[in-house]
Amino acid sequence: MQTSPIQRPSSAFIGASWAALLIGIITYLSGLWNASMALNEKGYYFTILMYGLFAAISLQKSVRDRSEGIAVTGIYFGLCWISVLLALLLLTLGLWNATLQNSEKGFYAMAFLLSLFAAVAVQKNVRDVTRAELASSGASSAEAPGT
Protein backbone atom coordinates (compact mmCIF):
# COMPACT_ATOMS: atom_id res chain seq x y z
CA MET A 1 0.00 0.00 0.00
CA GLN A 2 1.39 3.39 -0.97
CA THR A 3 1.28 6.26 1.46
CA SER A 4 1.01 9.76 0.13
CA PRO A 5 3.55 12.29 1.35
CA ILE A 6 2.43 14.54 4.16
CA GLN A 7 1.61 17.92 2.69
CA ARG A 8 1.88 21.20 4.49
CA PRO A 9 -1.25 23.39 4.33
CA SER A 10 -0.91 26.37 2.02
CA SER A 11 0.15 29.69 3.48
CA ALA A 12 -3.11 31.18 2.24
CA PHE A 13 -5.17 28.65 4.22
CA ILE A 14 -3.03 29.12 7.32
CA GLY A 15 -3.37 32.90 7.05
CA ALA A 16 -7.10 32.74 6.40
CA SER A 17 -7.59 30.45 9.41
CA TRP A 18 -5.67 32.75 11.74
CA ALA A 19 -7.44 35.81 10.32
CA ALA A 20 -10.86 34.20 10.84
CA LEU A 21 -9.94 33.27 14.42
CA LEU A 22 -8.70 36.75 15.26
CA ILE A 23 -11.64 38.44 13.54
CA GLY A 24 -14.14 36.21 15.35
CA ILE A 25 -12.58 36.67 18.78
CA ILE A 26 -11.92 40.41 18.41
CA THR A 27 -15.41 41.01 17.05
CA TYR A 28 -17.04 39.06 19.87
CA LEU A 29 -14.92 40.76 22.53
CA SER A 30 -15.42 44.24 21.09
CA GLY A 31 -19.16 43.61 21.18
CA LEU A 32 -18.86 42.68 24.84
CA TRP A 33 -16.67 45.67 25.60
CA ASN A 34 -19.18 48.09 24.06
CA ALA A 35 -22.30 46.33 25.35
CA SER A 36 -24.49 48.04 27.90
CA MET A 37 -24.93 44.92 30.00
CA ALA A 38 -23.90 44.17 33.55
CA LEU A 39 -20.35 43.07 34.20
CA ASN A 40 -21.51 39.61 35.33
CA GLU A 41 -23.29 39.16 31.96
CA LYS A 42 -20.14 40.15 30.12
CA GLY A 43 -18.23 37.63 32.22
CA TYR A 44 -20.77 34.93 31.35
CA TYR A 45 -20.40 35.51 27.60
CA PHE A 46 -16.60 35.76 27.86
CA THR A 47 -16.41 32.49 29.79
CA ILE A 48 -18.62 30.74 27.24
CA LEU A 49 -16.30 31.91 24.44
CA MET A 50 -13.20 30.61 26.22
CA TYR A 51 -14.92 27.33 27.13
CA GLY A 52 -16.21 26.90 23.59
CA LEU A 53 -12.79 27.52 22.04
CA PHE A 54 -11.13 25.00 24.33
CA ALA A 55 -13.87 22.43 23.78
CA ALA A 56 -13.77 22.79 19.98
CA ILE A 57 -9.99 22.43 19.84
CA SER A 58 -10.06 19.47 22.18
CA LEU A 59 -12.78 17.75 20.15
CA GLN A 60 -10.91 18.34 16.89
CA LYS A 61 -7.75 16.87 18.36
CA SER A 62 -9.59 13.85 19.76
CA VAL A 63 -11.38 13.14 16.47
CA ARG A 64 -8.12 13.40 14.56
CA ASP A 65 -6.24 11.27 17.07
CA ARG A 66 -8.83 8.53 16.75
CA SER A 67 -8.76 8.66 12.95
CA GLU A 68 -4.97 8.25 13.06
CA GLY A 69 -5.11 5.33 15.47
CA ILE A 70 -3.90 7.28 18.50
CA ALA A 71 -5.64 6.11 21.66
CA VAL A 72 -8.33 8.43 23.05
CA THR A 73 -10.44 7.18 25.92
CA GLY A 74 -14.16 7.01 25.37
CA ILE A 75 -14.89 9.14 28.40
CA TYR A 76 -12.61 11.95 27.19
CA PHE A 77 -14.05 11.75 23.69
CA GLY A 78 -17.56 11.93 25.13
CA LEU A 79 -16.64 14.85 27.38
CA CYS A 80 -15.30 16.72 24.36
CA TRP A 81 -18.61 16.31 22.54
CA ILE A 82 -20.60 17.25 25.64
CA SER A 83 -18.43 20.33 26.17
CA VAL A 84 -18.93 21.63 22.63
CA LEU A 85 -22.66 21.01 22.79
CA LEU A 86 -22.86 22.55 26.26
CA ALA A 87 -21.02 25.70 25.14
CA LEU A 88 -23.45 26.05 22.21
CA LEU A 89 -26.44 25.43 24.49
CA LEU A 90 -25.24 27.92 27.11
CA LEU A 91 -24.71 30.61 24.47
CA THR A 92 -28.12 29.89 22.96
CA LEU A 93 -29.88 30.06 26.33
CA GLY A 94 -27.99 33.20 27.32
CA LEU A 95 -28.88 34.97 24.09
CA TRP A 96 -32.47 33.69 24.14
CA ASN A 97 -33.04 35.23 27.57
CA ALA A 98 -30.95 38.36 27.02
CA THR A 99 -32.58 41.74 26.69
CA LEU A 100 -30.73 42.46 23.47
CA GLN A 101 -32.00 43.32 20.03
CA ASN A 102 -32.19 40.39 17.63
CA SER A 103 -29.39 41.92 15.56
CA GLU A 104 -27.13 41.94 18.63
CA LYS A 105 -28.02 38.34 19.41
CA GLY A 106 -27.16 37.35 15.86
CA PHE A 107 -23.91 39.32 16.07
CA TYR A 108 -22.77 37.35 19.13
CA ALA A 109 -23.91 34.02 17.70
CA MET A 110 -22.09 34.53 14.39
CA ALA A 111 -18.87 35.80 16.01
CA PHE A 112 -18.96 32.82 18.40
CA LEU A 113 -19.47 30.26 15.64
CA LEU A 114 -16.77 31.88 13.47
CA SER A 115 -14.36 31.70 16.39
CA LEU A 116 -15.07 28.03 17.08
CA PHE A 117 -14.77 27.04 13.43
CA ALA A 118 -11.56 29.02 12.99
CA ALA A 119 -10.05 27.53 16.17
CA VAL A 120 -10.58 24.06 14.70
CA ALA A 121 -8.95 25.12 11.42
CA VAL A 122 -5.97 26.69 13.21
CA GLN A 123 -5.47 23.53 15.32
CA LYS A 124 -5.60 21.43 12.16
CA ASN A 125 -3.01 23.64 10.50
CA VAL A 126 -0.70 23.58 13.51
CA ARG A 127 -0.83 19.80 13.54
CA ASP A 128 -0.38 19.45 9.77
CA VAL A 129 2.57 21.86 9.68
CA THR A 130 4.26 20.02 12.55
CA ARG A 131 3.74 16.63 10.88
CA ALA A 132 4.98 17.93 7.52
CA GLU A 133 8.10 19.40 9.11
CA LEU A 134 8.80 16.18 10.98
CA ALA A 135 8.27 14.12 7.83
CA SER A 136 10.61 16.33 5.82
CA SER A 137 13.29 16.09 8.50
CA GLY A 138 12.98 12.30 8.56
CA ALA A 139 11.50 12.03 12.05
CA SER A 140 8.49 9.91 12.90
CA SER A 141 5.16 11.73 13.21
CA ALA A 142 4.59 9.85 16.46
CA GLU A 143 7.42 11.92 17.95
CA ALA A 144 5.50 15.17 17.60
CA PRO A 145 4.85 16.45 21.10
CA GLY A 146 1.85 18.61 21.81
CA THR A 147 0.05 18.20 18.51
Side-chain angles (χ1 to χ4, degrees):
M1 180 168 116
Q2 287 184 323
T3 58
S4 60
I6 298 171
Q7 294 187 357
R8 185 182 194 280
S10 70
S11 297
F13 184 64
I14 292 170
S17 300
W18 276 103
L21 180 61
L22 292 175
I23 289 168
I25 291 172
I26 290 169
T27 301
Y28 187 94
L29 294 178
S30 69
L32 282 182
W33 182 267
N34 294 312
S36 59
M37 60 178 74
L39 190 57
N40 62 332
E41 283 183 273
K42 290 181 179 185
Y44 174 80
Y45 289 112
F46 175 75
T47 302
I48 289 174
L49 176 65
M50 294 299 109
Y51 177 49
L53 289 171
F54 177 80
I57 290 169
S58 189
L59 177 61
Q60 187 275 344
K61 182 175 179 352
S62 297
V63 167
R64 182 123 177 220
D65 282 352
R66 279 189 159 196
S67 72
E68 294 175 356
I70 299 171
V72 175
T73 63
I75 191 147
Y76 185 77
F77 190 66
L79 285 172
C80 290
W81 273 108
I82 290 169
S83 291
V84 170
L85 295 174
L86 187 58
L88 292 169
L89 177 65
L90 288 170
L91 181 74
T92 301
L93 289 174
L95 292 176
W96 185 272
N97 294 309
T99 55
L100 300 171
Q101 295 179 8
N102 286 338
S103 59
E104 291 176 288
K105 292 178 181 183
F107 168 85
Y108 287 113
M110 291 288 86
F112 183 81
L113 292 174
L114 173 63
S115 299
L116 263 59
F117 175 78
V120 168
V122 166
Q123 164 60 17
K124 177 197 177 305
N125 290 338
V126 167
R127 187 166 179 158
D128 289 347
V129 166
T130 302
R131 292 190 75 210
E133 288 173 355
L134 286 171
S136 68
S137 69
S140 167
S141 63
E143 297 172 9
T147 57

